[in-house]
Amino acid sequence: MSSDLVRLARSWLAQDPDQETRTELTALLEQLPESGDALRERFHGKLEFGTAGLRGELGAGPNRMNRVTVMRAAAGLAGVLGPGRHVVIGYDARHKSDVFARDTAAVLTGAGLRASVLPGPLPTPVLAFAVRHLGADAGVTVTASHNPPRDNGYKVYWGDGSQIVPPVDAEISAAIDAVGPVSGLPLGSGWTELNDDVVAAYLAAVTALPLGGDRGLRVAYTPLHGVGGALATRAFLTAGFDAPAIVEAQAAPDPDFPTVAFPNPEEPGAMDLALELARRIDADIVLANDPDADRCAVGVRLPGGGHRMLTGDEVGSLLGEHVIRQTSGEGRLVATTIVSSSLLGKIAAAHGVRYAETLTGFKWIMKAGEGLVFGYEEALGYSVGNGDDRGVALPVHDKDGIGAALTVAGLAAQARSRGRTLLDLLDDQAREYGLHSTSQLSVRVDDLSLITDAMAGLRAAPPVELGGRKVESADDLSEGADGLPPTDGLRYRLSGGARVVVRPSGTEPKLKCYLEVVVPVEGEVSEASAQAVRDLDALKDDLSAALGL
C-alpha cells in the first residue's frame, strides 16, 4: 500500500465532519493491507465536477459523495460567484441529501453569500423554477435523480434557471481544486428557510400551461419512491383533475427504493406496479416520475386491454405538436437533441415554427435560442411553455416531470372527449409525417476502458453498412458538427432517413446507441410498425457486432 495514499486518507480523516464516514475510513485504515483495494477506490482519483455537477456513490474520500466533497463544491461555487450573491438550494429524499443541503447553505453564508433553502425535499424542477422566481444568481440541488440507492449528486444552476454549461463548469472545478481543508472554512448560519409560497408559485405556473379544458380522465401514477407524489397530486387537483390513483407501495419517499432494481421508469420492471394498478382501475393513462420528478414516463391503454409505455420520442412528438397548436405568436421555437427523433423537426416545419437541435442534455436545449416554447429529450425529459402574440413563457428552464404530466393528462383528456386516445394521435402523426420509430442499444460496463476502446474502434474503422442500409455520412461529434460544440459521440446517417448516434453516458457507466428508422405509411400503421421493428432489430444486430461488447 502506497504511503502517499495512506497519508491522503489520514489527511481526509482529519477534516471530515461526518462521524459515519470517519468510522468507515478509520476501519479501512485499521484493516490494511487487506482493505487496500477499497481504499484505492476512494482515494485514487476524485469525482470530477462538470456540467452535470457531481454524482457518485456515498462514502469516504474524494472519489465518493460525502460532506467534505459537498463542502468543497460549495466553497468553489462561492469563490466563482463572490460575496453578496444569492443561491437557492433544493434537495431530494436520498440518503444525506438534507445534510448536504445544510452544509451547502453553511459554507455559502460563511463566505458572505445569501442562501435560501427550499421547504423540504422537493422535485428538481421546483428548484429550477425558484432560481428565476426569486431572482437568484444560482441554484444548487442535491440529487442523483434515478441512480441506484447508494448514490447522490450535486447539480448547479445559473441565474437563468438552467443547468450550467462551459466554461462555468471549468471555473467552478478550478475553484474547488483550490479549496483547502474544509475544517478551515468559515461556516454561517443565517440562511433563509423558504416557506410554501415558492411551491404555490410553481404550481400556479405549471397549471397555467396549455392543458385544454377537458378533465375527464382516469390516471394511475407512481413517484417511484421519490419526491414527486405529494406535489403531483396537488398539481392535478389545482388544475381541476381528479387526484391520480397512486401506487401505494411507491408513494412515500424512500431512499432505498425497495420495490425496484433501479428507480428509473425506463429500466425493466420499474413500471410493473404502476401497470398493475392501471389494469385494476382500467386507467386511461399511466404516469410516472423518476425520484426527483424531473422526468415523466407515460403509458396508454391498449384497445384490446392492458397498457403499453410510450417512448420518450413518442411523448415528445405528441407534446410538441400539442404545444405548437395551443400557442401562437411569431418567433416560436421548439428544440430537441441530436439523439432524439427527427420527427419534431418535420412537425415544426409543417406548422411554420422554428426548430433547433442541440447536444444531449437540457442544459443545451435551454440554450437553443429565443422564443423557446417547448423542448424535449428522448430520456423522458420535457419542458412545456405558453406563447401568444405578447411572447412566450417557459416556467421551468429545465426538464419538468410535473408540468409534463399535467400537459399529457390534458391532451389525453381532450382526446378522450372526442372518443380518441393518445395512440390515435400517434397514428395521425405517422400518416402525416411517416412512422418515426426509435430504440436504444445500451451496454453497461464495469470497466470504463471498454467504452473508450469501443469508441476508438468505431473511429478507426467506421461501418459502411448497418442493418442492410448504406452509411451515407459519418460525423465524429468530437470535432464539432452542424455548429454544435464538440462532444464525445459518433453519428451515422443511413439510407432511407435512418440514423444512429453512439455516445458514452454522461452519468452512468454505459455506452448508449440511439437508433431511428423512418417508414412511410402506405397502408395500415400496424404494418409500418412491424416493418420498423424488423429494421431496428437489424440495426441493433449489426451495431452490436461493430461495438464488440
Side-chain angles (χ1 to χ4, degrees):
M1 172 59 60
S2 164
S3 60
D4 289 342
L5 199 62
V6 173
R7 187 167 58 252
L8 281 173
R10 296 194 184 282
S11 175
W12 189 275
L13 187 63
Q15 64 175 314
D16 190 349
D18 191 324
Q19 185 57 51
E20 184 177 338
T21 47
R22 286 175 57 82
T23 300
E24 171 193 337
L25 188 51
T26 299
L28 289 175
L29 287 168
E30 291 175 349
Q31 293 163 13
L32 287 172
E34 290 80 5
S35 60
D37 288 345
L39 201 63
R40 271 188 290 271
E41 287 176 4
R42 289 160 173 76
F43 285 89
H44 187 69
K46 64 183 177 69
L47 295 180
E48 295 292 341
F49 186 94
T51 55
L54 298 166
R55 192 176 294 189
E57 184 179 347
L58 291 166
N63 205 29
R64 294 287 189 270
M65 282 295 298
N66 50 64
R67 293 183 65 186
V68 175
T69 301
V70 165
M71 293 171 75
R72 288 174 56 82
L77 176 61
V80 170
L81 287 170
R85 298 298 182 93
H86 182 200
V87 181
V88 186
I89 302 163
Y91 58 98
D92 66 10
R94 282 178 174 268
H95 292 293
K96 294 191 179 292
S97 286
D98 57 340
V99 177
F100 294 163
R102 289 195 300 271
D103 282 339
T104 299
V107 170
L108 292 175
T109 53
L113 287 80
R114 291 190 297 130
S116 299
V117 181
L118 292 181
L122 284 165
T124 292
V126 177
L127 181 279
F129 169 84
V131 170
R132 294 173 62 241
H133 177 69
L134 298 174
D137 299 288
V140 169
T141 188
V142 182
T143 180
S145 189
H146 53 262
N147 273 39
R150 284 296 301 168
D151 286 4
N152 213 325
Y154 196 86
K155 282 203 296 190
V156 176
Y157 292 74
W158 225 226
D160 62 353
S162 65
Q163 296 177 51
I164 57 172
V165 296
V168 174
D169 61 323
E171 294 171 4
I172 296 174
S173 181
I176 293 171
D177 289 341
V179 175
V182 300
S183 52
L185 291 174
L187 302 180
S189 59
W191 61 84
T192 299
E193 297 281 354
L194 296 170
N195 58 28
D196 190 66
D197 288 350
V198 67
V199 181
Y202 165 80
L203 285 171
V206 296
T207 54
L209 292 172
L211 308 182
D214 298 295
R215 294 294 182 267
L217 197 70
R218 188 178 294 115
V219 179
Y221 169 76
T222 177
L224 285 178
H225 300 294
V227 295
L231 192 59
T233 298
R234 189 173 164 187
F236 268 73
L237 293 173
T238 302
F241 291 98
D242 289 339
I246 301 183
V247 176
E248 184 176 352
Q250 298 173 334
D254 188 331
D256 293 319
F257 309 109
T259 67
V260 293
F262 285 95
N264 178 352
E266 293 182 290
E267 291 285 345
M271 291 299 298
D272 286 355
L273 293 181
L275 290 168
E276 171 59 22
L277 173 62
R279 184 195 63 78
R280 290 202 315 269
I281 68 171
D282 194 27
D284 298 294
I285 61 172
V286 187
L287 297 173
N289 290 131
D290 66 339
D292 69 329
D294 62 350
R295 289 174 169 84
C296 177
V298 181
V300 292
R301 184 170 54 204
L302 297 169
H307 296 74
R308 87 160 173 93
M309 301 306 297
L310 302 182
T311 68
D313 285 316
E314 288 175 322
V315 177
S317 66
L318 289 174
L319 286 178
E321 190 152 35
H322 173 70
V323 170
I324 289 171
R325 285 174 170 162
Q326 296 294 318
T327 59
S328 61
E330 296 295 324
R332 286 172 298 158
L333 172 69
V334 296
T336 189
T337 70
I338 57 173
V339 302
S340 302
S341 172
S342 60
L343 176 55
L344 184 62
K346 295 181 181 178
I347 292 171
H351 290 276
V353 172
R354 293 184 301 133
Y355 168 75
E357 284 187 5
T358 73
L359 294 182
T360 306
F362 252 81
K363 58 183 175 285
W364 297 113
I365 291 175
M366 290 299 113
K367 300 292 189 290
E370 293 294 323
L372 185 65
V373 73
F374 175 73
Y376 96 92
E377 60 183 358
E378 49 70 43
L380 309 185
Y382 319 93
S383 184
V384 180
N386 272 316
D388 56 28
D389 293 336
R390 296 169 295 176
V392 301
L394 201 65
V396 177
H397 285 197
D398 196 16
K399 50 188 177 290
D400 177 9
I402 305 293
L406 284 177
T407 311
V408 167
L411 178 58
Q414 181 186 77
R416 187 176 186 270
S417 72
R418 299 169 183 174
R420 312 193 77 214
T421 70
L422 296 182
L423 292 176
D424 294 320
L425 302 186
L426 286 170
D427 285 351
D428 290 347
Q429 290 185 334
R431 295 185 188 96
E432 179 72 17
Y433 308 109
L435 179 68
H436 291 62
S437 189
T438 59
S439 187
Q440 275 194 40
L441 174 65
S442 293
V443 182
R444 185 181 290 270
V445 299
D446 294 324
D447 182 356
L448 289 176
S449 68
L450 295 175
I451 292 178
T452 302
D453 292 345
M455 294 294 290
L458 288 176
R459 287 187 169 101
V464 296
E465 184 179 282
L466 290 170
R469 297 169 181 262
K470 179 183 177 183
V471 176
E472 295 182 339
S473 67
D475 299 318
D476 188 342
L477 301 178
S478 67
E479 301 172 356
D482 300 331
L484 298 173
T487 187
D488 188 9
L490 298 165
R491 178 174 60 191
Y492 305 105
R493 290 191 173 96
L494 315 179
S495 58
R499 182 220 62 202
V500 173
V501 177
V502 183
R503 58 177 283 271
S505 170
T507 57
E508 299 176 273
K510 284 183 178 180
L511 185 65
K512 291 189 171 184
C513 307
Y514 305 83
L515 320 175
E516 180 179 31
V517 296
V518 183
V519 180
V521 178
E522 297 172 349
E524 294 295 326
V525 174
S526 59
E527 296 172 358
S529 296
Q531 182 60 52
V533 169
R534 292 191 291 270
D535 291 349
L536 288 169
D537 286 344
L539 281 179
K540 288 179 182 179
D541 289 344
D542 283 4
L543 192 56
S544 295
L547 291 172
L549 293 175

